[in-house]
Amino acid sequence: MDIQPRLPGIEAFNNLAPDEFAAALRPLFEAARPLADALYGTRPYTSYADVIDCAESIAANLPVDDKIEVVNAHPRIGENAAVVRSQSNLSYHEQGYDREASLPAEDLQHVYAELAELNRAYEERFGFRFVVFVNKRPKSQIVDLLRDRLHNSRASELETALRELFAIARDRWQQLT
């Protein structure tokens, strides 16, 4: 049985040292250092909704390289299950790895092969990871979405990846409170 991470109370969160603060952000959005540092500098917060709103505003104004670092902190969808689980237990469950045991092995192999190829093409084209709010959709649906998003511009995709990352954070916040 996996232990769900807990968010500290907002007052305790506001008083954490920088490294502890960054670690406390991870359950929400796998916070990369540029975002964690900027958020630390804008304390105190009145709520986690305030933290997420502020993070979204900060991310929108970061230099492109920092935006990419924020996006790339999120685990790759379709990555090896053990790798995803070691990076983020929340992502492991969100991406449905724990629900795949009942699916035909051949179907899973096909979907994972497609995701690997599409992730490679996406990262080669855009220079950062594909991020999507899975929202309980099977990976087979994500394959189609990833294929479609390959036709977007780099700027549009970076905005979309950040928007999706904060949709994930809002969903996680609801689950962790």
Side-chain angles (χ1 to χ4, degrees):
M1 180 177 187
D2 294 312
I3 296 173
Q4 192 80 307
R6 294 213 180 269
L7 298 172
I10 199 68
E11 286 185 29
F13 176 74
N14 283 323
N15 291 311
L16 293 173
D19 287 342
E20 294 169 320
F21 182 88
L25 288 170
R26 286 190 54 77
L28 292 175
F29 40 75
E30 322 296 344
R33 185 52 67 181
L35 184 57
D37 289 349
L39 283 168
Y40 186 80
T42 58
R43 293 166 306 130
Y45 298 101
T46 58
S47 67
Y48 279 99
D50 186 27
V51 173
I52 296 168
D53 289 345
C54 186
E56 192 166 22
S57 177
I58 288 169
N61 293 300
L62 288 172
V64 171
D65 287 346
D66 287 351
K67 288 179 183 182
I68 290 170
E69 187 174 343
V70 169
V71 167
N72 284 345
H74 215 275
R76 196 176 276 112
I77 190 160
E79 181 73 75
N80 175 286
V83 171
V84 172
R85 189 172 217 163
S86 72
Q87 291 175 334
S88 170
N89 201 38
L90 287 168
S91 286
Y92 175 85
H93 291 291
E94 290 163 352
Q95 292 186 25
Y97 290 97
D98 55 338
R99 297 183 302 272
E100 293 177 343
S102 64
L103 299 175
E106 188 174 304
D107 292 351
L108 276 177
Q109 252 182 339
H110 178 72
V111 168
Y112 277 96
E114 278 190 287
L115 280 172
E117 177 55 31
L118 289 168
N119 274 319
R120 185 204 55 73
Y122 184 95
E123 291 175 25
E124 185 176 289
R125 174 167 163 65
F126 297 118
F128 51 86
R129 288 185 182 169
F130 172 76
V131 175
V132 64
F133 177 32
V134 174
N135 199 18
K136 298 182 175 76
R137 291 179 284 185
K139 288 186 184 74
S140 58
Q141 286 182 10
I142 303 304
V143 166
D144 294 335
L145 180 64
L146 178 46
R147 189 176 288 118
D148 289 343
R149 283 183 43 191
L150 275 166
H151 300 289
N152 295 338
S153 72
R154 185 174 194 258
S156 171
E157 268 310 296
L158 188 52
E159 286 177 24
T160 299
L162 288 168
R163 197 170 41 253
E164 294 287 312
L165 187 139
F166 292 109
I168 294 165
R170 286 183 177 89
D171 184 66
R172 287 179 176 185
W173 169 57
Q174 294 300 315
Q175 292 177 44
L176 297 173
T177 55

